Amino acid sequence: MKNVILILGMLVVGVSGFSQNKNAKATIEVDGVCGMCKERIEKASIQAKGVKSATWDVQTHQLNLIYNEGKTDLTKIQQSIADSGHDTQDIKAKDEVYEQIDPCCRYRDQQVIDDHKQDGE
Amino acid sequence: MKNLLYLFFILPFCVFSQEKITGTITENIDNKEIPLSGANVYWLNTQVGTVTDFDGNFELNYKPEYKKLVISFVGYKTDTLSVNAPKKITHSLTSTANLDEVTVTARQKATSRSFIQATNVLNVSSAELLKAACCNLAESFETNPSIDVNFADAISGTRQIKMLGLTSPYILITTENVPSIRGASQAYGLSFIPGTWVESIQITKGAGSVVNGYESIAGQINAELQKPMMDDKLFVNAYGAGNGRFELNTHLNTKLSERWSTGLYIHGNMRETEFDKNDDSFLDAPLMQQVNVMNRWQYTDTENGYVGFINFRYLNDEKQTGQTFFNPDNDRGTTNAWGSEIKTQRFDVSGKFGFVNPEIPWRTGGLQLAYSHHDQESYFGLNNYNIQHNSLYANLLYNSIISDSRHKIKTGLSATYDGYDELVLTENFNRVENSVGAFFEYNFDNLGDLNFSAGIRADVHNRLGTFLTPRFHLRYSPWDKSAFRISAGRGKRSANIFTENQQIFATSRSLNILGNGGEIYGLDPEIAWNYGVSYMQGFNLFNRKADVTFDFYRTDFVNQIVVDMENPSEVNFYNLEGESFSNNFQAEFNYNPFEHFDMRLAYKYYDVETTYLSGKKQTPLTPNHRFFANASYETNQTAKGGNWKFDATFNYLGEQRFASTETYLNTIGLSEFSPSVSTVNAQITKVFSANFEIYVGGENITNVTQSNPIVGSDNPFGTTFDTTYVYGPIFGSSYYAGLRFRLN
């Protein structure tokens, strides 16, 4: 009996050694200025295959992610966010996509950033 | 500072590691980045750190396990950055001195309706509850257009609430999501929850969620109580009214440890002055006293994700009413004088335990347990009515997601036990009801314009049988600041015909159950479908915020226990045969015409009809039209936090149908319909500081009263005696004053 448990135990350890983390956690920086950006960033993240949870903070610009490593990786997720118009720490959004986001979300514009600061955000 | 000391000791040991990050810390002065020297830079939860040099530069060892870099400096806001690779960092700190100047204090809206939730929920905050220094939960709805508050009868002083034109038994009333006012406490239960204990109220119109059971039909009211961890250390509210009512509320809260807090909530109220302003020999309001004590324990362990509450509560409530010269010791059970006493004792224990997986935040679980013992002994003239109710409730909940957080699921199991021991006049109606059920609810949210929830539960009940309860809610926002909602759902319940209709005992009517051998008093369970649509639109009117809401709800009874009072000498209970429905349309307008001034206008149309043995008729005492207006204004806060608050509510009720035949109504001096009534309530609060405030107010300021609320009051043991023909205020205008004191 003991042996069986041992073998089973080894099997489980062996299997889990190869499997990828289904609930991998990561925090990346994504640029943005307001609540609308938050909605867009989180939506773009969650719509990327394999992402389970995404929360972005307006103040810190941090995006907390939980994702399935077997289905996606940080590059793919960042690409999806950049495609929605937001710069991430590794991938910059294409200018033509950036141009399409709402004027109040133009996070690259110092004037827009200052406007949001005055709102107390 | 302590961190800084550690840094000096630790730094020399770190020189062996190879990777480093470098960076510059600056502060922004007049749009120029000025280097900041002496700022602390360290890795979160470590003693690894450094201090910036004269040019604001720093160099720090990096290891992949370090994720968060903390940058702090006295007088500046502390920032935390995520660092995933050894790279150059440039960061600007914000001075807290600057921050103070731009502090924006947003005024919390007293009531708010969410644009985002799938259900039509109105959130009533404690600020709204203070608008009318009302004393218990029943009275706290007076400033709210979604709930109607009426007197249940002319003698007990009990206020009855209605939603969508249906009385409170059709509303699921929960305390912190545990069903609380049901069974034996249905009639008076709302007056057993003191107003100051309530932190906020959520009112959901239409079919609720399957999570809390199958009983809700017209809607759901949830009262969140004060939390020992958040509530004031000491809170005192003293209240006195010209109608002889006095009230004292004391809250004592202590933090026992990092995780445990406890609170002791003591409430007492009494009325010992006798009033008979309308000279009908009956007290206008009962003599009463209530002692209500609750002890709450709150446990919070954020690190491991455990939260819990344990509550113990004891209540003793005594009311005496009837003729002014009634003396219970000598006159009870005689025809010397008509009198009534209602004595209730209640003991509750409830607990709530929750778990949030700190690693996987969407995985949460919870267990709710509640036990209550309710004992009411009462008599109304020669009619005796006693009810004992032991109740057990358990609900186990699990939340998770499917594939990602747009698809949320809730599932769980619940079990209930209700033991009733009921004496009606001379007959015993004892019974046990129990059920077990399982539920599953799926929520979809596209994080934008659409979300919905679809739930179903299956229950096995010893008297209601085995049945399914589906519920559905959807919200769609076609454009900015809009919310279009639809809902549909089924509800089923066993009607506690006597306790829910206790006003019938204070009449000379004979009670008849025209049963068909059903499981509950020989009657069948009540089943209804509720459908609703609502549309809400926020907009700016003259540059100020405004919103309008239109909603329409229909409740269709498949079966209902009809309470038929159309024959003036009888009350008949029977299963519905034919149609019974409630149509309810409401239009509400909220506007903030100038700073600190809020107004709310609402119009409601009701069409509530039931098929009686004598044909299809409007439900008695339900007006077709109702108009509501509330205005509140507060002055700017002084440096000490003091200000003035003004609040006024106007209520108009259209004519209401009286039960009984026209010929009978003529002989007792009433016509088929009641006149319309309007009432005005107002309150002024003077806040001296965050610790102390006083208030004065008036109820029914225009002094509107129903001239003859008790039919046959000259001969209470005669055949026409009836206290149920109540359509308006019994008591004239009444003024009150009180104070609130709090220490944090």
Side-chain angles (χ1 to χ4, degrees):
Chain A
M1 192 60 199
K2 255 184 187 168
N3 287 333
V4 176
I5 292 171
L6 202 71
I7 290 163
L8 277 176
M10 278 167 73
L11 271 174
V12 170
V13 172
V15 169
S16 64
F18 290 109
S19 78
Q20 279 140 324
N21 190 351
K22 278 189 172 176
N23 292 314
K25 284 185 152 189
T27 302
I28 58 170
E29 254 180 89
V30 179
D31 213 348
V33 277
C34 62
M36 271 172 79
C37 299
K38 180 178 162 74
E39 215 179 286
R40 195 179 307 111
I41 293 166
E42 290 177 357
K43 207 167 162 179
S45 316
I46 210 107
Q47 280 171 349
K49 205 183 150 210
V51 175
K52 293 185 169 182
S53 150
T55 359
W56 185 74
D57 191 304
V58 183
Q59 313 266 317
T60 63
H61 291 188
Q62 287 180 11
L63 175 70
N64 289 314
L65 291 167
I66 301 179
Y67 62 98
N68 186 339
E69 278 183 338
K71 288 187 178 166
T72 190
D73 56 53
L74 277 179
T75 317
K76 283 184 193 159
I77 300 167
Q78 292 191 64
Q79 190 57 55
S80 168
I81 297 165
D83 289 347
S84 79
H86 286 272
D87 294 347
T88 70
Q89 60 190 36
D90 300 323
I91 302 173
K92 200 163 180 273
K94 283 186 187 149
D95 286 345
E96 54 264 40
V97 187
Y98 173 77
E99 297 299 330
Q100 277 167 18
I101 65 174
D102 201 87
C104 96
C105 298
R106 300 279 167 84
Y107 54 88
R108 291 178 194 164
D109 188 334
Q110 188 60 43
Q111 186 59 46
V112 173
I113 297 171
D114 291 345
D115 284 351
H116 282 286
K117 275 183 185 153
Q118 275 155 21
D119 289 350
E121 277 179 23
Chain B
M1 202 58 212
K2 219 175 180 181
N3 281 329
L4 215 68
L5 279 173
Y6 282 125
L7 299 180
F8 289 114
F9 292 109
I10 307 274
L11 270 178
F13 301 103
C14 301
V15 291
F16 298 106
S17 62
Q18 283 141 11
E19 289 187 294
K20 285 190 191 314
I21 60 161
T22 57
T24 313
I25 305 302
T26 59
E27 95 180 283
N28 189 305
I29 297 172
D30 299 323
N31 280 331
K32 269 184 232 154
E33 299 296 335
I34 311 289
L36 200 59
S37 67
N40 305 316
V41 182
Y42 58 94
W43 295 106
L44 186 68
N45 297 329
T46 70
Q47 271 105 35
V48 183
T50 184
V51 177
T52 55
D53 66 13
F54 188 74
D55 297 318
N57 295 326
F58 71 92
E59 196 177 74
L60 193 59
N61 297 297
Y62 173 81
K63 277 194 215 163
E65 55 265 36
Y66 299 150
K67 289 260 172 351
K68 305 231 164 170
L69 189 67
V70 182
I71 303 159
S72 70
F73 195 37
V74 178
Y76 292 80
K77 216 175 128 241
T78 300
D79 286 344
T80 309
L81 309 181
S82 276
V83 178
N84 291 312
K87 59 174 184 180
K88 182 153 167 56
I89 286 166
T90 313
H91 187 77
S92 177
L93 280 188
T94 321
S95 161
T96 48
N98 287 340
L99 274 183
D100 282 347
E101 289 162 26
V102 293
T103 301
V104 179
T105 45
R107 201 160 53 99
Q108 190 195 4
K109 253 190 122 181
T111 50
S112 57
R113 225 184 263 265
S114 167
F115 281 99
I116 297 158
Q117 272 171 291
T119 43
N120 187 359
V121 181
L122 190 74
N123 195 30
V124 181
S125 75
S126 53
E128 176 78 17
L129 295 169
L130 298 179
K131 276 186 181 180
C134 52
C135 309
N136 58 53
L137 196 57
E139 291 152 310
S140 64
F141 297 111
E142 307 237 330
T143 60
N144 186 304
S146 292
I147 306 277
D148 303 317
V149 187
N150 305 81
F151 281 102
D153 57 69
I155 58 147
S156 71
T158 308
R159 284 179 218 221
Q160 183 186 52
I161 61 162
K162 284 184 182 176
M163 193 173 185
L164 309 183
L166 301 172
T167 51
S168 63
Y170 297 112
I171 309 167
L172 176 69
I173 303 171
T174 57
T175 311
E176 306 198 320
N177 285 313
V178 173
S180 60
I181 297 172
R182 54 186 295 283
S185 68
Q186 189 60 257
Y188 310 123
L190 283 171
S191 68
F192 296 161
I193 301 183
T196 63
W197 292 9
V198 179
E199 182 228 317
S200 64
I201 302 173
Q202 292 80 40
I203 301 168
T204 311
K205 270 192 185 178
S209 157
V210 290
V211 174
N212 299 316
Y214 46 80
E215 284 182 334
S216 69
I217 289 173
Q220 193 179 329
I221 295 172
N222 178 48
E224 282 294 320
L225 301 182
Q226 297 286 1
K227 315 273 183 285
M229 217 166 259
M230 304 296 289
D231 192 22
D232 305 307
K233 278 209 171 97
L234 169 70
F235 173 84
V236 179
N237 173 45
Y239 167 103
N243 62 10
R245 181 162 166 182
F246 291 93
E247 199 146 333
L248 188 68
N249 285 291
T250 311
H251 306 180
L252 287 161
N253 291 291
T254 345
K255 194 168 179 180
L256 297 175
S257 70
E258 204 47 52
R259 290 170 183 177
W260 281 101
S261 292
T262 182
L264 185 65
Y265 299 78
I266 305 164
H267 166 91
N269 78 54
M270 60 175 210
R271 169 157 44 215
E272 288 189 334
T273 328
E274 298 189 352
F275 283 96
D276 178 19
K277 286 192 178 173
N278 52 15
D279 276 330
D280 61 359
S281 85
F282 277 79
L283 294 174
D284 295 338
L287 306 175
M288 58 182 192
Q289 39 184 308
Q290 187 185 105
V291 175
N292 208 336
V293 183
M294 176 172 70
N295 180 211
R296 293 205 88 182
W297 296 80
Q298 181 175 7
Y299 178 82
T300 314
D301 173 3
T302 43
E303 230 164 87
N304 298 310
Y306 293 102
V307 286
F309 283 98
I310 305 165
N311 309 315
F312 301 92
R313 205 183 128 196
Y314 171 76
L315 165 99
N316 186 54
D317 184 77
E318 292 182 15
K319 291 196 249 296
Q320 186 211 313
T321 186
Q323 290 185 294
T324 48
F325 46 87
F326 173 77
N327 177 352
D329 298 333
N330 304 327
D331 303 333
R332 182 179 176 177
T334 72
T335 54
N336 300 342
W338 195 96
S340 164
E341 281 187 283
I342 305 162
K343 293 185 180 178
T344 310
Q345 284 205 51
R346 197 181 154 90
F347 179 68
D348 285 87
V349 194
S350 63
K352 217 170 154 176
F353 312 95
F355 172 68
V356 182
N357 188 330
E359 288 302 307
I360 306 167
W362 60 77
R363 253 177 228 169
T364 63
L367 176 65
Q368 300 164 329
L369 292 169
Y371 166 75
S372 66
H373 171 79
H374 187 104
D375 189 353
Q376 180 190 327
E377 282 185 27
S378 50
Y379 61 89
F380 302 81
L382 300 175
N383 295 335
N384 287 315
Y385 179 69
N386 295 340
I387 182 166
Q388 259 193 42
H389 178 189
N390 284 301
S391 168
L392 265 171
Y393 173 83
N395 199 19
L396 183 70
L397 254 166
Y398 176 72
N399 297 310
S400 189
I401 60 170
I402 300 174
S403 105
D404 63 59
S405 61
R406 283 173 297 177
H407 312 272
K408 293 194 175 73
I409 56 156
K410 283 182 184 177
T411 182
L413 298 168
S414 53
T416 63
Y417 166 88
D418 291 293
Y420 294 97
D421 200 338
E422 201 175 16
L423 173 84
V424 183
L425 312 183
T426 53
E427 205 174 333
N428 273 308
F429 290 91
N430 297 346
R431 68 181 199 274
V432 167
E433 293 192 8
N434 50 47
S435 74
V436 286
F439 56 88
F440 183 85
E441 189 178 80
Y442 168 73
N443 286 279
F444 172 77
D445 185 353
N446 77 348
L447 304 172
D449 54 8
L450 176 79
N451 56 335
F452 68 83
S453 80
I456 191 153
R457 61 178 299 140
D459 291 271
V460 183
H461 189 287
N462 67 334
R463 283 167 196 267
L464 304 183
T466 302
F467 59 100
L468 292 176
T469 309
R471 304 265 168 95
F472 179 79
H473 296 267
L474 178 141
R475 182 222 37 137
Y476 175 62
S477 296
W479 45 78
D480 199 27
K481 280 189 175 176
S482 68
F484 178 77
R485 293 185 170 92
I486 59 171
S487 73
R490 185 184 195 260
K492 187 169 183 175
R493 59 185 298 276
S494 57
N496 274 292
I497 54 172
F498 297 113
T499 194
E500 285 162 15
N501 298 289
Q502 285 185 45
Q503 69 272 21
I504 59 171
F505 294 118
T507 66
S508 59
R509 292 167 188 260
S510 65
L511 313 180
N512 310 304
I513 301 174
L514 313 178
N516 61 346
E519 292 285 330
I520 307 132
Y521 302 103
L523 299 163
D524 293 333
E526 296 192 296
I527 300 171
W529 285 87
N530 183 295
Y531 314 95
V533 285
S534 93
Y535 174 67
M536 178 183 176
Q537 180 70 53
F539 57 95
N540 278 340
L541 185 65
F542 308 115
N543 278 325
R544 310 286 314 177
K545 266 191 188 167
D547 63 73
V548 285
T549 310
F550 300 98
D551 54 40
F552 177 80
Y553 284 88
R554 180 178 169 93
T555 310
D556 247 320
F557 283 91
V558 177
N559 184 43
Q560 186 178 21
I561 305 307
V562 180
V563 184
D564 184 339
M565 311 214 357
E566 301 299 319
N567 179 338
S569 58
E570 294 176 359
V571 186
N572 292 304
F573 297 99
Y574 48 85
N575 292 309
L576 174 74
E577 278 196 33
E579 221 187 355
S580 178
F581 62 85
S582 151
N583 286 329
N584 168 236
F585 170 77
Q586 179 171 340
E588 191 180 327
F589 174 62
N590 286 295
Y591 188 43
N592 172 226
F594 51 89
E595 197 77 16
H596 301 315
F597 185 87
D598 288 316
M599 54 180 268
R600 183 181 307 140
L601 304 174
Y603 165 76
K604 287 200 286 190
Y605 173 76
Y606 289 123
D607 179 19
V608 188
E609 294 181 34
T610 303
T611 308
Y612 297 97
L613 291 175
S614 50
K616 196 162 91 176
K617 288 177 184 162
Q618 285 284 341
T619 305
L621 301 174
T622 307
N624 283 125
H625 305 278
R626 190 188 159 194
F627 182 74
F628 171 97
N630 175 269
S632 57
Y633 175 71
E634 51 185 86
T635 60
N636 276 322
Q637 282 197 349
T638 62
K640 279 169 76 186
N643 68 352
W644 288 89
K645 293 176 183 171
F646 304 88
D647 189 84
T649 307
F650 170 81
N651 244 309
Y652 164 87
L653 296 175
E655 51 178 32
Q656 307 172 41
R657 189 181 79 86
F658 288 121
S660 303
T661 59
E662 211 172 323
T663 42
Y664 176 73
L665 290 168
N666 283 336
T667 58
I668 59 169
L670 292 170
S671 49
E672 199 184 345
F673 287 90
S674 78
S676 61
V677 276
S678 313
T679 54
V680 178
N681 294 351
Q683 183 180 300
I684 301 170
T685 308
K686 166 69 180 154
V687 183
F688 291 96
S689 70
N691 302 103
F692 186 64
E693 60 194 63
I694 56 174
Y695 54 84
V696 292
E699 285 172 16
N700 189 11
I701 290 172
T702 48
N703 202 17
V704 178
T705 47
Q706 181 175 350
S707 51
N708 190 11
I710 300 174
V711 173
S713 59
D714 49 341
N715 182 12
F717 296 97
T719 53
T720 61
F721 179 71
D722 204 318
T723 63
T724 62
Y725 291 94
V726 176
Y727 63 87
I730 301 151
F731 209 87
S733 55
S734 153
Y735 294 89
Y736 60 85
L739 62 88
R740 297 188 190 101
F741 175 76
R742 61 189 99 223
L743 270 185
N744 281 304

